[in-house]
Amino acid sequence: MREAIRYLGYGRNTADERTRMMIEDAFSEVEKAAGPKSICRIFDVNQNTDGRITIENMEIDSRSLSRNLKGCVKIVLFGATLGAGIDHLIRRTSLTDMSRAVIQQACAATLLEEYCDEKQLEIGRELELNGLYLRPRFSPGYGDFDIHYQEPIMRMLDCAKTIGLTMTDSYMMTPTKSVTAVIGASPVKERCPVAGCEACDKTDCEYRR
């Protein structure tokens, strides 16, 4: 609820009772329409002194991602989607009630974040058995991590076959309520929240996006 209110532009302000009731109704509709799926694969990661990152045949040039992955020995490629049902729901609603469709958009974004957090916790518990600890998710489009890296990540995860996630020539994902990300894994446990930099008040953290 609180995240949906933030997505709607209220910031730290409290939404009025009517808006809160609309959000609750929209959440219910979104949850019924959602068919969440995810996929992950774990790879070795190598970082050059110039900040370039190599994951199998993929080379990434991103200083912000390099800072996030400092000290990591493994990397998790991750993809998730809420499914096409969400797109159909919002498209239908927008024909008759654009305000409600906007609220559904916010609720779907919140639901996707919650689902990704849940899956990251599951991955983290498995890796901790091997003495590795996860960093926050880092998606193409954050900082200088260019959006075009979406394509090789989705290819390496075989997203179209595994979770039904595809991408247009302009790097827009279909279904739209979907995400790809990389998650570093380090033998050193950092105090980084799963929810990432947006939920953390440690503004001087060297891993901050």
Side-chain angles (χ1 to χ4, degrees):
M1 170 76 76
R2 184 165 45 190
E3 280 299 289
I5 291 172
R6 184 175 68 84
Y7 280 122
L8 287 168
Y10 283 85
R12 297 182 181 274
N13 298 320
T14 302
D16 59 73
E17 185 61 26
R18 179 175 176 273
T19 301
R20 293 179 68 86
M21 289 179 64
M22 290 177 67
I23 292 172
E24 288 179 7
D25 289 344
F27 248 123
S28 178
E29 294 165 343
V30 164
E31 287 177 333
K32 289 176 183 176
K37 295 180 181 178
S38 67
I39 180 70
C40 73
R41 292 185 64 192
I42 300 171
F43 298 89
D44 292 328
V45 60
N46 295 301
Q47 295 192 66
N48 300 331
T49 53
D50 61 359
R52 293 185 68 84
I53 301 152
T54 304
I55 308 166
E56 289 208 332
N57 295 325
M58 177 171 59
E59 285 199 355
I60 301 171
D61 187 5
S62 167
R63 291 188 180 277
S64 50
L65 179 59
S66 182
R67 287 196 301 272
N68 180 273
L69 297 178
K70 182 179 178 182
C72 291
V73 295
K74 297 283 185 180
I75 197 164
V76 181
L77 297 189
F78 176 79
T81 181
L82 292 184
I86 298 291
D87 289 354
H88 296 156
L89 170 67
I90 295 172
R91 191 156 47 242
R92 285 197 310 271
T93 303
S94 67
L95 296 175
T96 57
D97 191 341
M98 185 55 72
S99 295
R100 191 176 191 84
V102 170
I103 293 174
Q104 288 174 343
Q105 287 271 13
C107 291
T110 300
L111 186 63
L112 179 60
E113 282 296 307
E114 291 175 351
Y115 176 69
C116 291
D117 288 349
E118 175 187 321
K119 288 299 173 181
Q120 184 169 342
L121 286 172
E122 290 177 9
I123 297 166
R125 283 192 289 268
E126 292 183 17
L127 285 177
E128 284 183 22
L129 297 175
N130 296 313
L132 294 175
Y133 302 92
L134 293 183
R135 299 276 170 76
R137 292 186 302 277
F138 206 100
S139 292
Y142 287 167
D144 65 351
F145 185 21
D146 199 282
I147 193 70
H148 81 261
Y149 290 111
Q150 200 105 269
E151 189 276 329
I153 291 174
M154 290 176 64
R155 180 163 28 85
M156 292 169 75
L157 290 172
D158 199 7
C159 283
K161 182 181 291 185
T162 55
I163 60 174
L165 175 59
T166 59
M167 186 181 64
T168 68
D169 291 340
S170 56
Y171 303 102
M172 297 294 291
M173 286 183 286
T174 304
T176 58
K177 287 298 176 278
S178 305
V179 69
T180 62
V182 299
I183 314 170
S186 167
V188 178
K189 188 172 185 179
E190 303 289 345
R191 296 182 63 185
C192 290
V194 169
C197 301
E198 293 83 0
C200 182
D201 58 5
K202 186 171 171 53
T203 56
D204 60 343
C205 176
E206 64 179 312
Y207 303 112
R208 193 173 185 85
R209 288 196 288 267

